Each structure stands twice: as C-alpha cells, then as structure tokens.
Amino acid sequence: MARTAAVVPDAAGLDELRAAAATCTGCDLYRDATQTVFGEGSERARVVVVGEQPGDQEDKTGRPFVGPAGAMLDRALRELAVDRSALYVTNAVKHFRFVRVERGKRRIHKTPSRTEVVACRPWLLAELRRVCPEYVVLLGSVATKALLGPSAKLTDLRGRLLDLDSVDGEPVPPARLLVTTHPSAILRAPDREAAYAGFLADLTVLAKALDK
Ligand code: URA
C-alpha cells in the first residue's frame, strides 16, 4: 500500500477514530507492525497518559501499556490509588517500531523518528480533542517532544504542572500537563528503586491535584 498522510475523521468519537487509525499509512511503520495500537480508556477521563509507542506485547495484543512498562505504570498508579480504568492511556506513535535481533527471533524497540512522531500526531491531537482531559501526563522524552516540541527537555520540565493549550500552533483543549520519565527507563536504570521513586514523586503531583 502507498503511504498517505494520516486521515483523521472530523468530529469523530473514539471508536470511529480507532477504526480509522487501524488503516493508517501515514508513515512507514504500519508495514512491519502487527496492528495500530490506539488509545484505550474512558471518553470522559480526567487524565490522558501519553507514552512513546507500543512495545512487543502491545503490538501483539493491540492494547497500550500491557507489557513490562505497563506493569511499572500500574504499580505506581496502584500505590497512589489512581484507578487506571478511569484514565485514557495512549501513545505518541501508534505503531511499534523495532529491529529484529537473534536471527529475527526477537524484536527490539527502536525509538521513533521525529518524522514518525509528527506523522502520527494528528491521532493524538484528535484523542485530546475528544477526551478534553483536565490533565495530560507525558511519559518520557518522545511524548514530551511530541507535544512540546523537539527542544523540550524532560529533565527541565518533569514533576510540575504546566499549561497546555496548543501544540505547534494548533489549539488543543486547555489542560494541565505533567512530564515524567518513561516507565521503561526505570526498568533500564542502574538504580531502579531511585528511578522508580522519582517517577512516583512526579505522579504524586498528579494524584494530589486529582484529589483537590
Ligand atoms: N511503552 C510505551 O511507550 N507505550 C506502550 O504502550 C508500551 C510501552
């Protein structure tokens, strides 16, 4: 199939968006991925959580954050008594980008390019416009740069509530934004417990804001 820019239906509900995204050929990632992994959760969620891209298990199941990174996210949410089923969880890029290793037996995550992030962004903006969350949580650098631009630095921004009302000059429903690390970075960190504590501290800012 030839590649064409993402065609996002106007004024669509999440089910309609999900169905349209299933056949997206807006970048080349659809060629090797199993399927589009669209966001999941309540259309009335107060919080949209944005990850980077689906991993191996997400690609196979078609659901975001069901693998090891999802387990790390779930652990933190549980600890903060934030109910995941009340959130809307999605990714900046909706297809798995990977390289094959061990003679093709294993698929290893490869960071999506800026071109892929920008090609996929209309879906993320459509999700934000549909859900109109009070809070948007950006997990990791790719999600942060997807919404805040290529020069945004996670380390400068993490752990405090910021304002979001436009993305690259395009208006989005106003929301408070929280940047934090990606749960996969915790799994790779030399001191996992310290990295997890930092993640939890960032998400505590969200949990407290939700309780107010
Ligand atoms: N990592 C992500 O960023 N998203 C997923 O859905 C899974 C792992």
Side-chain angles (χ1 to χ4, degrees):
M1 210 191 319
R3 181 149 66 84
T4 55
V7 182
V8 178
D10 279 342
L14 290 175
D15 289 344
E16 211 182 318
L17 288 172
R18 184 174 294 107
T23 56
C24 185
T25 59
C27 73
D28 285 334
L29 295 181
Y30 77 94
R31 293 179 195 274
D32 294 329
T34 307
Q35 58 193 315
T36 305
V37 179
F38 205 68
E40 183 177 272
S42 166
E43 196 145 343
R44 286 185 298 279
R46 293 178 68 194
V47 183
V48 168
V49 177
V50 184
E52 179 190 307
Q53 63 162 350
D56 182 69
Q57 293 190 37
E58 290 79 12
D59 172 74
K60 287 176 181 150
T61 59
R63 300 182 53 211
F65 282 102
V66 293
M72 184 61 75
L73 175 64
D74 288 348
R75 175 183 165 192
L77 294 175
R78 239 187 344 266
E79 216 163 309
L80 295 169
V82 174
D83 178 8
R84 173 165 167 170
S85 69
L87 311 179
Y88 185 84
V89 179
T90 191
N91 281 301
V93 170
K94 309 262 193 278
H95 282 112
F96 181 31
R97 181 176 184 191
F98 59 90
V99 285
R100 287 193 183 275
V101 293
E102 293 165 14
R103 290 209 228 105
K105 272 189 273 170
R106 234 156 48 85
R107 304 186 303 170
I108 302 285
H109 158 277
K110 190 155 190 245
T111 303
S113 69
R114 180 75 190 159
T115 306
E116 289 153 354
V117 169
V118 170
C120 208
R121 199 167 54 188
W123 296 114
L124 177 58
L125 299 189
E127 289 171 297
L128 292 176
R129 290 189 180 119
R130 189 68 218 176
V131 178
C132 289
E134 286 169 56
Y135 299 95
V136 177
V137 178
L138 302 178
L139 302 177
S141 201
V142 170
T144 300
K145 289 177 194 288
L147 290 193
L148 301 183
S151 54
K153 279 191 96 177
L154 187 148
T155 42
D156 292 345
L157 300 170
R158 68 180 290 179
R160 58 200 162 87
L161 289 173
L162 309 164
D163 288 314
L164 177 74
D165 57 14
S166 68
V167 172
D168 213 4
E170 273 195 68
V172 290
R176 302 287 276 157
L177 186 77
L178 180 74
V179 171
T180 186
T181 191
H182 193 285
S184 296
I186 301 169
L187 294 166
R188 290 191 307 266
D191 184 345
R192 272 197 198 189
E193 279 318 302
Y196 177 72
F199 183 53
L200 203 63
D202 292 344
L203 290 181
T204 300
V205 173
L206 172 78
K208 282 191 179 151
L210 287 170
D211 272 352
K212 272 190 196 144

